[in-house]
Amino acid sequence: MSEERNVTVLVAVQAPEEEAAAVTVLGAQSQVTVARRLAELTELLAAAEAGAGTVAVVSGDLPGLDRDAVARLRGAGLRVVVVQDAALSAARLAWLGADVVVAGGDAENLVAAVRGDGPDPAAPVVPAPADRGSDRPGAIVAVWGPAGSPGRTTTAIELAAALAGVGAAAPRRTGLLRRSRPVPPPHGSSTVLLADADTYASSVTSRLGLLDDAPGLAAAARAAGQGNLDVVTLAGHSPVVLPGVRVLTGITRASRWPELPASSLDLVFQRCRELAAWTVVDCGPVLEADELLMYDTRAPQRNGATLSALQAADVVVVVGAADPVGLQRLVRGLEDLRDAAVPVPAARVVVVNRVRAAAVGRRAEAQVRDALARYGGVGDAHVVPDDPAGLDAALLAGRVLAECAPASPARAAFEALADRVRELVPAPV
């Protein structure tokens, strides 16, 4: 073995006999050094971030071990090898993001994993997604826009309803999330999951008149962090509130944003693809990577939820307001999106909301399109006309336009937006 293949191991195994066996087996290997034997996760993380090792051998039942902890170990440059005991499934441990999962007592595979003779450390082992009865997974649509209330939440809700084919004949809802009951989607429609990932001003719950404001997305993120999130669990956290539309409600207070870590949401969005043909994510407005501001790479990232959604998205719907201030923010927001801290390879649709002559002058739609083409390089902006009466009625009733203002011109524009999204990313059939 070459000098470059020397490895230094941090061992954090719970069972004394397993720890002794691992240390004995690894210590007998050439160019393998057991640097430290650690009893707690906090000690392991501190040693990893201090650069004390290149491989972490961790027992699956180590208290506090979750997806975020594994992400921190990998972020410190360590290969993570998890030792499985009889009480834990390999699939659950793999979903934590471990590079390799080996059975307890399997000395040969443990040595191979530590040496790097197993799977590529850049490609952690994960179980295959469950079969949804389709030849391709569901699509994710991230609805993002700059600060200033351009209408991100309204766009996300109306787009979800349009993708699901919600019509004017949709049954009346009680307005109570805990009383919502599964109802079949309209004929020819798709199952849609609406997720509220806004960590600054979560409002899907109140916008839809849902009084039971349990944070469904945070609960799903907790399950994902522990490796316990499957499609059934996700469905339990996302009740049906409209025909064909499930809702993962957001955090109830902005101060609860640490409950939405990006490492867990990455897995949540994977599961969303298995549950629904379309997942529409209402994102927060800020794109900065928080650690660049706080100079602390271990600190939670408030904007991690938005960045996770944008990175996972197949289509990003960028929403701006149709007024001089809103258009200026939209142009700058498009630049910020291009320079985001994570890659955002998705197709983009620019939506200009509440287009009206009173704010931009005569020939409002043409004025908006010309301004975006000139200053933002956007040649195909999608405009949504202002309809204060219809939108106010929907807001007051906690409904979508299809339920209370089916003839609204804004609803027609959102239906056209849904058609455009379908053209960009065909959903499973």
Side-chain angles (χ1 to χ4, degrees):
M1 181 177 288
S2 64
E3 192 69 24
E4 288 75 19
R5 297 296 297 276
N6 287 351
V7 292
T8 305
V9 186
L10 305 177
V11 177
V13 178
Q14 281 284 98
E17 63 277 6
E18 285 285 352
E19 180 191 38
V23 171
T24 300
V25 169
L26 295 175
Q29 307 301 313
S30 62
Q31 295 181 291
V32 175
T33 303
V34 177
R36 297 188 188 181
R37 301 167 67 173
L38 307 158
E40 297 181 353
L41 179 63
T42 52
E43 296 176 345
L44 174 62
L45 292 172
E49 289 163 358
T54 57
V55 178
V57 176
V58 190
S59 60
D61 59 350
L62 185 68
L65 184 68
D66 58 12
R67 192 172 174 85
D68 190 53
V70 172
R72 286 179 61 181
L73 289 172
R74 298 192 69 205
L78 276 71
R79 174 195 290 267
V80 181
V81 179
V82 177
V83 179
Q84 174 194 7
D85 64 18
L88 298 171
S89 71
R92 174 179 174 244
L93 296 176
W95 275 118
L96 293 181
D99 294 289
V100 187
V101 177
V102 298
D106 188 347
E108 181 179 354
N109 282 329
L110 176 61
V111 172
V114 168
R115 285 182 179 276
D117 298 332
D120 184 349
V125 179
V126 294
D131 184 10
R132 296 178 63 255
S134 172
D135 58 353
R136 60 182 182 270
I140 293 180
V141 181
V143 179
W144 177 84
S149 300
R152 292 182 303 272
T153 298
T154 296
T155 300
I157 291 173
E158 295 297 336
L159 177 59
L163 289 171
V166 176
R172 184 182 182 86
R173 293 179 286 117
T174 63
L176 296 176
L177 181 59
R178 59 180 176 270
R179 295 181 185 175
S180 59
R181 289 177 169 80
V183 290
H187 178 69
S189 64
S190 302
T191 303
V192 178
L193 178 60
L194 173 62
D196 190 345
D198 189 342
T199 55
Y200 289 87
S202 172
S203 56
V204 168
T205 299
S206 54
R207 174 60 182 78
L208 288 176
L210 308 176
L211 301 185
D212 187 350
D213 57 356
L217 186 59
R222 283 193 294 272
Q226 297 299 323
N228 295 323
L229 184 66
D230 54 21
V231 175
V232 175
T233 303
L234 181 61
H237 292 306
S238 55
V240 177
V241 299
L242 282 169
V245 180
R246 293 180 173 273
V247 173
L248 268 175
T249 53
I251 52 178
T252 54
R253 292 181 176 84
S255 60
R256 298 181 63 179
W257 62 264
E259 297 181 33
L260 300 178
S263 58
S264 295
L265 290 181
D266 291 343
L267 179 54
V268 172
F269 294 137
Q270 289 184 45
R271 289 301 194 191
C272 287
R273 293 183 185 275
E274 302 172 34
L275 177 62
W278 295 98
T279 299
V280 179
V281 186
D282 183 15
C283 300
V286 185
L287 297 179
E288 286 84 357
D290 302 64
E291 71 269 20
L292 297 179
L293 304 177
M294 301 173 67
Y295 300 96
D296 184 354
T297 58
R298 295 176 295 172
Q301 298 183 45
R302 182 168 190 174
N303 306 324
T306 293
L307 295 175
S308 175
L310 291 172
Q311 191 170 14
D314 300 290
V315 178
V316 176
V317 175
V318 184
V319 184
D323 57 64
V325 175
L327 290 174
Q328 184 182 53
R329 287 174 174 168
L330 177 57
V331 170
R332 292 176 177 173
L334 290 170
E335 296 176 357
D336 293 339
L337 189 60
R338 285 191 289 268
D339 299 331
V342 298
V344 186
R348 296 172 193 178
V349 179
V350 176
V351 175
V352 185
N353 210 11
R354 297 192 62 196
V355 176
R356 58 204 185 277
V360 294
R362 293 191 304 172
R363 299 175 57 250
E365 294 189 8
Q367 294 264 38
V368 166
R369 288 194 171 96
D370 288 347
L372 287 178
R374 179 179 302 177
Y375 301 109
V378 179
D380 55 350
H382 185 88
V383 298
V384 178
D386 192 22
D387 179 19
L391 292 169
D392 286 349
L395 179 62
L396 178 63
R399 298 185 179 186
V400 296
L401 290 171
E403 294 179 291
C404 61
S408 166
R411 183 205 171 194
F414 286 123
E415 293 281 354
L417 175 62
D419 291 338
R420 189 165 177 181
V421 170
R422 290 188 188 99
E423 291 174 359
L424 291 172
V425 182
V429 294

